[in-house]
Amino acid sequence: MSTPSTPPTDDQLREEIRSRYAEAAVAVTRGATNTDLNDALQVVDDTGAAASCCGGGEVTVGEAFGAGLYAAEDRDGLPADAVAASLGCGNPLAVADLRPGERVLDLGSGGGIDVLLSARRVGETGFAYGVDMTEEMLDLARANAARAGATNVEFLRGTIEDVPLPDASVDVVISNCVINLSADKPRVMAEMHRVLVPGGRIGISDVVAEDHLTVADRAERGSYVGCIAGALSHSEYLDGLAAAGFVDATVELTHEAVPGMHGAIVRATKPGA
C-alpha cells in the first residue's frame, strides 16, 4: 500500500477503488447496512490509506452520503440490496428531469439504484444503462434488476474514462459521486460529451470543493476512495465541462459533506439540438 510520501499511480489508485467497492458489494450480500458501508469508506488508517470496508471504523458521515438522500417513495419497491448499496452523495434523478422514452446512462452504477429508478421514469419505451468496472457490483446490480423485474436496463463492464457505448447513443448521462474517483476527469467529461446526442444533457451528483481549498487541503479532509480527496473545486468543474464542449453548465452546492466540501448538483448540455 502506498504511503502519503509515495503517491499512488493512476493504476494503483484505480485498483484500490475497485477493490474497496468490490468489498462493499460482497458486504451487502452478507447483510451490511447502508450506514455501515458509507461510514467504512471514510475511514483511513495511520498511513492515510482507506481502512477495510465495513470494518467498524469510528468515522461517520451522517446524512451526507447514502440511501437517506433519496425520498422514501423512490426507495419503495426497490430490492433491499439496491438501497443498501447506495454509496452516493445525492440523487441525480432529482435533477435529471427524465422523460418517458429517453435513453439514460449511469456512470459508476454500483448496485444499480439509479439505473433502476431511471428505468421506472423513462418507462417501457426508454432504456437505462449502467457502467461499472467492478465485477462484484455488476453481479449485485444484475441480481437487483432481476428482483425488480426491470427489463429495460443493461449493466456493462467498463470504466467511466472509456464508456462501452457508441457515439450519440444516450439522451441523458447521470452519475452519483463517482466522477471524483477518476484519476482522469477530463477524459470522463469528454466521454460524457461523446455518448450524448446533440442537445443531450447531464444531471450529476458529486462532491465539490470550495475554490479556496488546495489539493492538499482536500486530501486532509478524507480519502480518495471515500469521495473526498479526489474532488474537483467549483471552478475546476465548470472549466472542465467547458473544455469538453458543454454549455450552460452549473454547479449548485447542496449540503456540506466535510468542512469546505459539499454534495453538489452538476448540470450541463451538449450543443446542437
Side-chain angles (χ1 to χ4, degrees):
M1 181 66 71
S2 300
T3 67
S5 59
T6 308
T9 66
D10 290 354
D11 287 344
Q12 288 171 331
L13 183 60
R14 177 177 290 175
E15 175 55 25
E16 182 181 352
I17 291 167
R18 189 210 62 76
S19 176
R20 292 273 287 153
Y21 284 87
E23 285 185 30
V26 172
V28 166
T29 65
R30 295 175 177 172
T33 69
N34 187 247
T35 299
D36 290 338
L37 297 181
N38 282 285
D39 286 353
L41 287 172
Q42 305 306 315
V43 178
V44 295
D45 63 23
D46 57 10
T47 72
S52 177
C53 183
C54 309
E58 296 180 357
V59 176
T60 58
V61 297
E63 298 180 353
F65 296 86
L69 297 170
Y70 294 84
E73 56 266 30
D74 283 337
R75 299 193 305 267
D76 288 347
L78 289 179
D81 283 357
V83 176
S86 174
L87 304 173
C89 56
N91 179 357
L93 276 73
V95 298
D97 188 26
L98 300 181
R99 301 155 197 162
E102 289 189 315
R103 297 159 296 170
V104 185
L105 166 64
D106 181 21
L107 297 180
S109 48
I113 185 171
D114 290 319
V115 172
L116 296 178
L117 290 173
S118 295
R120 280 185 187 175
R121 297 199 183 186
V122 300
E124 293 181 359
T125 59
F127 203 86
Y129 296 98
V131 169
D132 205 282
M133 69 176 181
T134 306
E135 195 64 51
E136 292 84 352
M137 277 294 185
L138 290 167
D139 289 344
L140 179 61
R142 289 165 181 152
N144 285 330
R147 292 187 189 103
T151 57
N152 58 337
V153 304
E154 184 177 2
F155 292 96
L156 305 169
R157 185 170 188 179
T159 69
I160 63 175
E161 299 88 1
D162 189 12
V163 175
L165 285 174
D167 296 354
S169 55
V170 297
D171 303 293
V172 188
V173 174
I174 64 173
S175 185
N176 196 349
C177 211
V178 173
I179 293 175
N180 63 77
L181 295 172
S182 174
D184 190 353
K185 296 174 180 66
R187 179 65 180 170
V188 176
M189 294 182 186
E191 280 291 272
M192 291 194 297
H193 192 275
R194 179 185 68 80
V195 299
L196 281 169
V197 298
R201 63 195 186 278
I202 64 172
I204 289 169
S205 295
D206 212 352
V207 172
V208 175
E210 295 175 10
D211 284 338
H212 66 88
L213 293 182
T214 66
V215 172
D217 291 335
R218 300 169 215 176
E220 289 174 354
R221 284 161 168 76
S223 71
Y224 210 109
V225 172
C227 304
I228 299 297
L232 294 171
S233 72
H234 185 278
S235 294
E236 288 167 348
Y237 230 122
L238 291 175
D239 291 346
L241 290 169
F246 286 99
V247 297
D248 301 326
T250 61
V251 176
E252 176 189 350
L253 306 183
T254 57
H255 60 282
E256 190 170 68
V258 295
M261 303 183 69
H262 304 260
I265 294 166
V266 181
R267 300 180 178 94
T269 302
K270 179 176 177 176

